[in-house]
Amino acid sequence: MAIASIAYTAAAGGLALALSTTWLALRNRTLFTKTRDLLAADLTAKDSMLRELDSATSAFDEAFLAVEGDVVRLVWGEDTLRHCGEALGLKDIEGAIAPQVLQALGDTSPEAAESLKQLINEGTACRFEVFAETPPNKLSNTSPGLTLIVEGRASGATAWLRLAIAGARASLASGPFAQMAERVPAPCWICARDGRIVWANAAWLKAAEATSLEDAVQKGLSFDRNADALVMEALEQHIRREGFRWLTVGGQRRAFQVIAEPLNEAYVCAYAIDVTEAEESREALKRHAKAHDETLDALEDAVAIFGPEKQLTFHNRAFEKLWDLEPAWLAERPTHGEWLDRLRQKRRLPETGDYSGFKTRELEFYGLTHTADDEMWSLPDGRSLRVVRQPHPLGGLLILFSDKTGELKLTAQFNSLIQVQKSTLDQLNDAVSVYGSDGRLRLRNQAFDRFWNIEPDDMAAVMDFSQVAELCLPLVHDRSFWSELKARVTDTDPLARAPQLGEVKVSDGRLAQWRTQPLPDGATLVAFSDITATRQLETAIEARDEALNESVRLKRDFVANVSYELRTPLTTIVGYADLLQAQTNENPKQKAYLDSIQSAAQELARSIDDVLDMAQIDAGEMSIHREDVRLLDIVAEVGLRLSDAFKARGVGFDYSGVIESGLIRVDAKRLAQCLEHLLGNAIRNASNGGAVTLNALKDGDNLVLEVAYTGRGIPYHVQAHIFDRYIGRERGGPGLGLALVKALVELHDGWITLESEPNEGASFKIHLPGQNQAGRSDAGPKLELVETHKTETAGDDHEAGGDTVVDVA
């Protein structure tokens, strides 16, 4: 029983194993069948794709080469590669075609060989064209050449080359641009890398006297040998080249501007522009200019012509003689500014306290569109010149100098007596007229016309005393008065010609005093004086006092209202400028504009403050508040505010002299205002790279503050008026700075002095009395020791970038 069970069990196990093995075999067969079908379909698709690629590659006349190390193999396009090899000069090609074609491509030019070398060794992509000869009856029956396009790419360790046939040389003559070039009247041609002409238009063939391009190539004809050399330079240097040539074309002498322009690595386009008419016009202009110069050279007046670049382009002999300048120096064509500098060195320019402004104004005449007004120059040597400036037709400026010294002297001598007499009479308030012994009017002054309300035109034809009396009758109706006066003018009796004096009432309410005075030449002077004002003096004084009180009231109203009227819009401008400045981060041009607006607004605010302060001082409404302060704190604060100005001018600021052992008693705000104005004046007048120093010294009860600078100094004739108000300054402003300083110092019961030498700078000293009381109150701690402070700007020996250093103890 046990054996039977074991047998059945073994049989059942064998049957199950057989069934499972059969099922697994059927399953694997199904899977293998599906995989085979998928692989067969994929193989069919790839075979179809290869056939399509083969057809497409053959249709475009392309060949593909693969280069791996020293192995060169053809991937596609055997026929195309063979045609390329034949075009490159390979004959009886046997064996592997690809290496031979690759070698032939490298032999076409050094550039092609270098490109292929970099592609194979370094994987650098390349693309170039090769012009090659085509054997007859191969690719074209009519074209003697074709262009090969070579393009290389690297993929991994393999370098791939694509060779494509771009077309025959005859294609250069096809297309709309080539057809247009055929109709251009200027000779145009295209040359290959080796200098051979591959295309030319009809104008070139006509100039070269060739029937066709092939005829020109066979006969070795050329437009011009120098033009060919220019083309070769453009090929070798890969840059545009230009040249000028005179050639004989069609039996005529013509001028051409030849231009050679590289098209790519393989071709250069050249064309010649006929500029004969322009050259002939240029030569004619030269002849006219020479004749014009010869004419100007013969003039007695000095003539100078400065070109558009402001350089001296012409001057006549009179110019050399007038200014006594060296011909060799003038031959170097100095600029207008250099000429002015040379005259200034020789003291032959009009004396001026602002030579820089004089020079700038002279150079501004280059913007003239019409002849400027005549100007007279009075030279230090006593000569007087009439200066005429007018724009030159060819650009620049023409200046004429006429010596009027002798003429002016003769005119002055001839008119001196008449001018003195007339000027004297015109300055009189009395109505004066002079009559000859015949009763005719010889002379009258301006006050005469005003006194009698006579128009100058009405007096043009009036000569007799009776006619003058008729014009005066509307104001003095008494005809007997005029008859008696005429008798005193025309009567020859010595007793009648004695001086007379009297009064007459004028119809407009005035009271006139008249008098007659016989003259040595027989003429008589008659004068009328208005004495109404003398009689009404008290009334006039009362009216003037009332007007003075009204002006004081208006000044107070101005001081009260001008701050609001001017500062409100200025505050708006500054606010919006700050807002725009915060929003503008990337546009430097807008940032510069906003910086200019803010700078101008700050300058305007300072000018408004100066005007208001001066108005308050004039009105007697400004007071100062003295307190104990540290001078070094004030100086440091002012130095910080002006640090940008010091850096902009390249001026050093040294206030190491501000060393004190105590406090000072002043109005800190007003003293800082004074120092700021003095330092600002020093910055404007100090020389570039110069220095501004500030020193302080206690002399008994007085504190002396000295602001000094090195620079041009202040002329002697200006020093007497330097503290006058409304003296203009070079960079704008109302000119109140130094006047305000003087007024503020005087409010402190002090005074200010000036010491200056021309070209040696200047020194301003502020004297402030009443300093013995400083530090006696508990206003603050005393300053026992102060370190030396110095502010410098950037220069050759400084690396701080010009930053102002303020170190306050």
Side-chain angles (χ1 to χ4, degrees):
M1 187 65 181
I3 297 174
S5 298
I6 293 173
Y8 283 121
T9 302
L15 180 61
L17 178 61
L19 290 175
S20 62
T21 304
T22 302
W23 178 82
L24 181 61
L26 291 174
R27 183 173 177 275
N28 288 337
R29 182 178 180 180
T30 301
L31 292 175
F32 291 153
T33 301
K34 290 182 179 179
T35 302
R36 181 197 63 189
D37 294 342
L38 290 174
L39 292 175
D42 184 59
L43 183 61
T44 301
K46 291 185 181 304
D47 184 62
S48 176
M49 183 183 299
L50 289 175
R51 286 196 299 272
E52 290 176 355
L53 289 174
D54 186 26
S55 300
T57 307
S58 300
F60 284 97
D61 287 336
E62 294 183 347
F64 290 89
L65 303 179
V67 183
E68 297 179 356
D70 296 333
V71 179
V72 182
R73 56 187 176 86
L74 175 65
V75 178
W76 209 273
E78 182 177 358
D79 293 339
T80 301
L81 185 63
R82 188 174 296 278
H83 291 158
C84 293
E86 293 175 354
L88 292 171
L90 299 177
K91 299 180 180 179
D92 301 329
I93 302 175
E94 296 179 357
I97 304 175
Q100 300 180 52
V101 172
L102 182 63
Q103 182 64 34
L105 286 174
D107 295 338
T108 56
S109 67
E111 292 82 1
E114 182 65 22
S115 299
L116 293 174
K117 180 180 178 181
Q118 292 182 358
L119 172 66
I120 297 171
N121 296 337
E122 302 176 7
T124 303
C126 65
R127 187 184 187 281
F128 57 90
E129 296 180 1
V130 175
F131 177 75
E133 296 293 339
T134 304
N137 301 323
K138 285 290 182 181
L139 295 178
S140 175
N141 294 327
T142 60
S143 174
L146 55 79
T147 301
L148 303 181
I149 299 177
V150 182
E151 185 174 3
R153 297 287 188 276
S155 177
T158 304
W160 296 88
L161 277 176
R162 183 177 71 88
L163 278 70
I165 300 176
R169 181 164 49 184
S171 62
L172 292 172
S174 61
F177 291 103
Q179 295 175 9
M180 178 189 70
E182 282 288 343
R183 291 169 173 79
V184 172
C188 302
W189 67 100
I190 298 177
C191 294
R193 186 189 302 275
D194 56 0
R196 292 175 299 170
I197 299 178
V198 298
W199 176 86
N201 65 351
W204 186 92
L205 295 175
K206 181 179 179 181
E209 299 181 353
T211 58
S212 64
L213 180 61
E214 289 74 12
D215 179 51
V217 174
Q218 292 176 0
K219 296 180 180 180
L221 300 178
S222 174
F223 177 73
D224 179 64
R225 297 303 176 188
N226 291 324
D228 294 342
L230 200 69
V231 171
M232 293 307 298
E233 290 181 9
L235 271 170
E236 295 172 357
Q237 302 176 12
H238 303 289
I239 59 174
R240 174 190 176 101
R241 300 292 296 169
E242 295 186 12
F244 179 80
R245 296 292 297 160
W246 277 97
L247 302 175
T248 301
V249 177
Q252 295 182 349
R253 188 71 171 169
R254 311 294 295 178
F256 290 93
Q257 183 74 19
V258 182
I259 302 173
E261 187 78 41
L263 299 178
N264 49 40
E265 296 291 337
Y267 298 106
V268 169
C269 173
Y271 51 95
I273 303 174
D274 191 341
V275 293
T276 306
E277 295 183 359
E279 286 299 314
E280 292 176 350
S281 299
R282 186 178 291 108
E283 291 298 327
L285 179 61
K286 289 182 180 178
R287 291 192 297 270
H288 284 294
K290 182 178 180 181
H292 179 262
D293 293 347
E294 291 176 352
T295 302
L296 293 179
D297 205 32
L299 295 178
E300 294 183 359
D301 292 343
V303 180
I305 299 177
F306 293 89
E309 297 82 11
K310 300 182 181 179
Q311 284 187 314
L312 183 65
T313 58
F314 171 81
H315 66 279
N316 60 358
R317 288 191 296 268
F319 181 83
E320 293 182 13
K321 182 179 179 181
L322 175 67
W323 300 112
D324 191 19
L325 296 173
E326 300 82 359
W329 183 79
L330 293 174
E332 295 177 358
R333 301 182 62 187
T335 64
H336 197 155
E338 293 172 346
W339 170 70
L340 291 174
D341 293 339
R342 177 61 67 90
L343 294 184
R344 182 168 181 259
Q345 293 174 2
K346 294 177 175 290
R347 294 194 72 250
R348 290 172 189 160
L349 284 180
E351 295 290 352
T352 175
D354 183 12
Y355 171 71
S356 178
F358 173 83
K359 182 178 179 180
T360 301
R361 186 177 65 86
E362 287 297 315
L363 296 181
E364 287 176 352
F365 283 107
Y366 283 86
L368 285 177
T369 57
H370 58 278
T371 302
D373 296 336
D374 294 358
E375 185 176 340
M376 293 299 296
W377 282 7
S378 297
L379 304 186
D381 58 5
R383 290 181 297 173
S384 297
L385 304 181
R386 182 173 68 94
V387 185
V388 179
R389 307 174 185 86
Q390 64 183 31
H392 196 267
L394 300 181
L397 187 67
L398 184 146
I399 309 178
L400 236 74
F401 299 95
S402 301
D403 192 346
K404 298 294 183 181
T405 307
E407 180 180 342
L408 291 177
K409 286 183 178 179
L410 292 176
T411 303
Q413 292 174 0
F414 180 78
N415 296 324
S416 59
L417 294 177
I418 297 177
Q419 291 296 331
V420 170
Q421 184 182 32
K422 182 173 177 56
S423 298
T424 303
L425 293 178
D426 285 339
Q427 295 302 319
L428 297 177
N429 294 325
D430 296 346
V432 177
S433 57
V434 177
Y435 301 89
S437 57
D438 56 355
R440 291 185 174 274
L441 179 65
R442 289 186 179 181
L443 183 66
R444 74 182 193 281
N445 64 354
Q446 298 175 359
F448 182 87
D449 295 346
R450 295 194 301 267
F451 188 90
W452 297 109
N453 295 331
I454 299 176
E455 294 294 333
D457 295 339
D458 297 337
M459 294 289 294
V462 174
M463 300 297 293
D464 188 76
F465 183 90
S466 300
Q467 295 173 320
V468 176
E470 290 292 331
L471 294 176
C472 299
L473 277 176
L475 294 178
V476 177
H477 310 302
D478 189 357
R479 289 185 177 273
S480 60
F481 167 76
W482 294 110
S483 298
E484 181 180 354
L485 193 59
K486 180 179 180 181
R488 298 186 180 279
V489 170
T490 59
D491 195 345
T492 58
D493 186 358
L495 295 177
R497 287 181 53 81
Q500 298 292 328
L501 180 67
E503 295 181 0
V504 63
K505 187 69 174 179
V506 184
S507 61
D508 58 5
R510 291 178 296 170
L511 181 63
Q513 184 184 70
W514 61 269
R515 58 186 177 275
T516 62
Q517 178 65 46
L519 300 178
D521 61 350
T524 303
L525 181 146
V526 180
F528 290 87
S529 303
D530 186 358
I531 60 174
T532 307
T534 305
R535 302 295 174 86
Q536 300 175 347
L537 182 59
E538 294 180 0
T539 303
I541 292 176
E542 293 177 357
R544 183 175 180 180
D545 183 65
E546 182 180 354
L548 181 60
N549 293 333
E550 180 66 15
S551 67
V552 173
R553 185 186 64 81
L554 290 175
K555 183 179 293 185
R556 291 177 179 174
D557 293 343
F558 168 78
V559 173
N561 296 329
V562 74
S563 177
Y564 175 81
E565 294 294 333
L566 294 180
R567 288 187 176 277
T568 299
L570 182 60
T571 303
T572 303
I573 294 173
V574 173
Y576 280 110
D578 292 339
L579 180 61
L580 292 175
Q581 183 78 11
Q583 297 176 353
T584 304
N585 298 323
E586 300 180 358
N587 192 326
K589 194 170 185 180
Q590 292 182 358
K591 197 173 185 65
Y593 290 160
L594 292 174
D595 291 339
S596 298
I597 292 175
Q598 291 175 327
S599 177
Q602 293 172 0
E603 183 66 23
L604 180 58
R606 285 193 293 268
S607 298
I608 293 173
D609 291 339
D610 291 347
V611 173
L612 292 177
D613 291 342
M614 186 59 72
Q616 283 186 324
I617 293 174
D618 291 342
E621 297 180 355
M622 177 177 286
S623 60
I624 62 173
H625 305 283
R626 299 175 185 265
E627 58 183 351
D628 293 345
V629 295
R630 297 198 334 165
L631 176 60
L632 186 60
D633 294 342
I634 299 175
V635 174
E637 179 182 357
V638 174
L640 281 176
R641 287 202 296 267
L642 297 177
S643 59
D644 292 338
F646 280 110
K647 290 189 291 183
R649 288 279 296 170
V651 177
F653 178 34
D654 182 7
Y655 57 95
S656 59
V658 182
I659 299 177
E660 53 179 322
S661 59
L663 303 177
I664 62 173
R665 181 176 292 272
V666 293
D667 187 326
K669 176 182 177 182
R670 297 307 177 186
L671 181 59
Q673 190 175 0
C674 293
L675 293 178
E676 186 172 357
H677 279 296
L678 290 178
L679 291 175
N681 178 73
I683 293 172
R684 289 191 297 271
N685 292 280
S687 58
N688 289 336
V692 177
T693 59
L694 176 59
N695 298 313
L697 174 66
K698 274 193 174 182
D699 183 14
D701 191 40
N702 293 332
L703 172 66
V704 181
L705 298 177
E706 180 185 17
V707 177
Y709 63 89
T710 60
R712 58 187 179 182
I714 301 173
Y716 293 116
H717 66 279
V718 179
Q719 294 183 20
H721 307 283
I722 194 65
F723 295 107
D724 293 346
R725 65 183 63 185
Y726 302 115
I727 298 299
R729 64 189 190 193
E730 295 177 358
R731 301 188 178 178
L736 288 176
L738 297 179
L740 183 59
V741 171
K742 180 176 181 292
L744 292 176
V745 171
E746 290 176 349
L747 286 177
H748 283 80
D749 298 327
W751 66 95
I752 183 171
T753 59
L754 166 65
E755 296 178 5
S756 176
E757 292 290 337
N759 300 321
E760 294 183 7
S763 171
F764 292 85
K765 291 184 179 180
I766 296 177
H767 301 264
L768 299 176
Q771 299 303 313
N772 287 337
Q773 301 298 324
R776 295 188 178 182
S777 63
D778 296 330
K782 297 182 180 180
L783 182 62
E784 298 297 335
L785 180 62
V786 179
E787 297 179 357
T788 299
H789 296 75
K790 189 173 183 179
T791 300
E792 296 178 343
T793 57
D796 295 338
D797 300 327
H798 304 284
E799 300 179 356
D803 295 335
T804 301
V805 179
V806 178
D807 182 15
V808 180

